[in-house]
Amino acid sequence: MAGRTGGGLRESLSGPILKYYAYKATKAVEFYRPIMYLFFLAQGISFTQIAVLEALYNLTTLFGEIPTGYVGDRIGRRNSLLIGTALISVTLLGIGLSSSFLPLAGLYVCWSLGYNFRSGSEDAWLYDTLTDDLSEDEFARVRGRGESAALAVGAVAAVSGGYLGSVDLSYPWFVAAGVTSLGALVLLTLDEPETYEETASENLSLRRTVRIVRDVLSRRRLRSLLLYYYVLYAAVTYLVFVFLQPIFETVVLDLGVPQPRVESLLGWFYAAYSLVGAVLTYYTGAIRERIGLRTWFLVLPFAVGGALVGMYFVPVLAVPTFLLIRGVSDVTRSFAGQYVNDRVESLGRATVLSAMAMVSGLAVVPFQLGSGVVSDAASPLFALGVAGVVLVVGAAAILLWEIPVGDGSVGDQV
């Protein structure tokens, strides 16, 4: 369907899309991110227990994605977002009040479920809302600007969280819970898209849901995109976020920065980290128009993989590399969402997107384990260098089999 990129979208911006931007701005992760592990250690949680918490989170994500996507297709995208946002807000409050491992383990499961409920439903709601106005071609642009709003707020939140944490490590969690709860208030003012309401969602059985997902993944080009982006690229870039803090610490100490200043510099770095992402994601639509999805996906893995290898030989390159990868990650996620949404019917859309996220989460696990072994044996920098080689070689192999993103022609639907 040809989208109207002018008047239709401008009309939408006076209502639900502006509310979507406001909702995205309430994603308050940057308040606690700079002090997250310091908080756990202060509660007497060991590194092994922290690893168990992360594993619980990932396992819940794996097993919860498709069921929560199915719920989102049955009860509505907005209702699914409300459930997820409420769960996250309560969980953040609970974490700030916790002081032992077992309560945190239960809260981590709830935390992951909250994001499960939001993952597929968020993009499905936005795409269907734009479809109501014949502006679905604007998905990448609008989603990118939503991410930009979240990241711009996150830049302020990162610095604020660092200062709040210096007073009490629980305060950033409490503030994050409050800001996240504002998102639930925004969601209460939204309506379900007409495109969704016109589907026979009450007739969506589990068997039919499985058939929808299977039919989508039977298309060769979408299968190759699943491997190319949701498995290979997403897993490698996840490792970047895991190893950012220890590598940043190593680099700045080598540059002569005193140890006591490392934590405060991390807060400011996360702020810059968010701002770079905000700027790039704001121009998602312009990037798509000038570069195109096909060129973007063909070049990106090799640029990122080369940068990861390069920073192993020149460690100071880690800082700009981290900023670059942070910026392009949200842009790429928007592009992938646009491409998949364009090829999926509204009925079952949230489930299909959740299935993609589940596969991506599953792929991360062996990368996590392998990178941990390599990092202990050598260094985090070496582990990311190896990941860069895997990304380049793996992307080249997939391209020899099938180019994941077509040129938009009819044959591209296959």
Side-chain angles (χ1 to χ4, degrees):
M1 182 186 299
R4 273 202 324 265
T5 59
L9 184 60
R10 283 195 292 271
E11 292 171 8
S12 295
L13 283 173
S14 64
I17 300 305
L18 282 178
K19 292 177 182 178
Y20 167 76
Y21 291 157
Y23 157 73
K24 294 288 284 186
T26 64
K27 290 190 168 184
V29 296
E30 299 300 341
F31 278 107
Y32 56 79
R33 184 173 284 172
I35 57 88
M36 180 174 177
Y37 296 109
L38 296 178
F39 171 80
F40 291 149
L41 293 171
Q43 309 312 310
I45 306 299
S46 68
F47 284 110
T48 299
Q49 289 174 320
I50 290 174
V52 172
L53 292 176
E54 296 291 342
L56 282 172
Y57 187 98
N58 288 334
L59 288 172
T60 305
T61 298
L62 286 176
F63 294 111
E65 277 290 358
I66 289 183
T68 53
Y70 172 73
V71 171
D73 280 322
R74 283 299 302 269
I75 69 173
R77 287 77 157 96
R78 190 204 70 160
N79 291 335
S80 182
L81 291 172
L82 268 172
I83 293 172
T85 301
L87 265 176
I88 293 169
S89 183
V90 171
T91 298
L92 293 175
L93 177 62
I95 291 175
L97 295 171
S98 296
S99 59
S100 60
F101 173 74
L102 286 179
L104 284 171
L107 288 166
Y108 252 70
V109 172
C110 294
W111 201 6
S112 180
L113 280 174
Y115 280 103
N116 281 164
F117 275 106
R118 296 209 301 195
S119 63
S121 294
E122 184 176 301
D123 281 355
W125 178 89
L126 177 59
Y127 194 87
D128 283 345
T129 297
L130 293 171
T131 301
D132 286 349
D133 204 41
L134 300 180
S135 301
E136 65 270 29
D137 285 351
E138 292 291 296
F139 173 84
R141 182 192 303 274
V142 175
R143 189 188 188 284
R145 291 189 174 182
E147 290 294 336
S148 180
L151 291 167
V153 172
V156 178
V159 177
S160 302
Y163 285 112
L164 286 169
S166 67
V167 178
D168 190 306
L169 289 171
S170 296
Y171 288 172
W173 298 97
F174 298 151
V175 174
V179 173
T180 301
S181 67
L182 295 177
L185 298 179
V186 174
L187 290 169
L188 287 172
T189 69
L190 294 177
D191 296 320
E192 288 291 353
E194 292 179 10
T195 298
Y196 167 77
E197 292 183 338
E198 291 170 358
T199 64
S201 59
E202 68 279 2
N203 297 324
L204 185 63
S205 65
L206 282 171
R207 181 175 295 180
R208 187 177 181 187
T209 300
V210 171
R211 187 169 64 250
I212 290 170
V213 174
R214 186 180 64 241
D215 290 345
V216 169
L217 296 181
S218 68
R219 304 173 196 174
R220 182 170 175 175
R221 184 153 275 160
L222 282 177
R223 286 203 308 270
S224 64
L225 179 67
L226 180 65
L227 291 174
Y228 191 77
Y229 170 71
Y230 288 94
V231 172
L232 184 62
Y233 180 83
V236 169
T237 53
Y238 177 87
L239 299 182
V240 173
F241 304 136
V242 170
F243 290 119
L244 186 154
Q245 291 183 14
I247 291 177
F248 180 87
E249 180 179 35
T250 299
V251 169
V252 297
L253 289 176
D254 287 346
L255 291 175
V257 174
Q259 178 70 55
R261 292 191 57 197
V262 171
E263 286 77 11
S264 60
L265 278 178
L266 266 172
W268 284 101
F269 179 76
Y270 272 103
Y273 196 61
S274 294
L275 284 175
V276 170
V279 171
L280 286 178
T281 52
Y282 183 83
Y283 290 104
T284 296
I287 293 171
R288 183 190 177 195
E289 291 171 3
R290 296 184 182 182
I291 298 178
L293 296 186
R294 183 185 177 96
T295 301
W296 180 271
F297 278 103
L298 289 179
V299 172
L300 185 68
F302 300 98
V304 170
L308 292 177
V309 173
M311 73 184 200
Y312 170 71
F313 295 102
V314 186
V316 74
L317 292 178
V319 174
T321 296
F322 288 154
L323 292 175
L324 172 66
I325 292 176
R326 179 66 186 90
V328 301
S329 288
D330 285 316
V331 174
T332 309
R333 191 177 299 115
S334 295
F335 287 162
Q338 174 84 65
Y339 194 78
V340 173
N341 270 300
D342 285 346
R343 288 150 182 82
V344 180
E345 297 298 326
S346 179
L347 185 63
R349 174 170 286 139
T351 308
V352 171
L353 294 172
S354 289
M356 296 284 197
M358 186 194 74
V359 172
S360 183
L362 180 62
V364 163
V365 175
F367 277 83
Q368 281 180 310
L369 297 174
S371 64
V373 172
V374 174
S375 182
D376 285 336
S379 69
L381 269 173
F382 183 74
L384 286 187
V386 172
V389 172
V390 171
L391 179 58
V392 169
V393 173
I398 294 172
L399 290 176
L400 290 174
W401 169 54
E402 179 72 46
I403 296 178
V405 177
D407 55 10
S409 62
V410 175
D412 183 31
Q413 301 296 321
V414 178

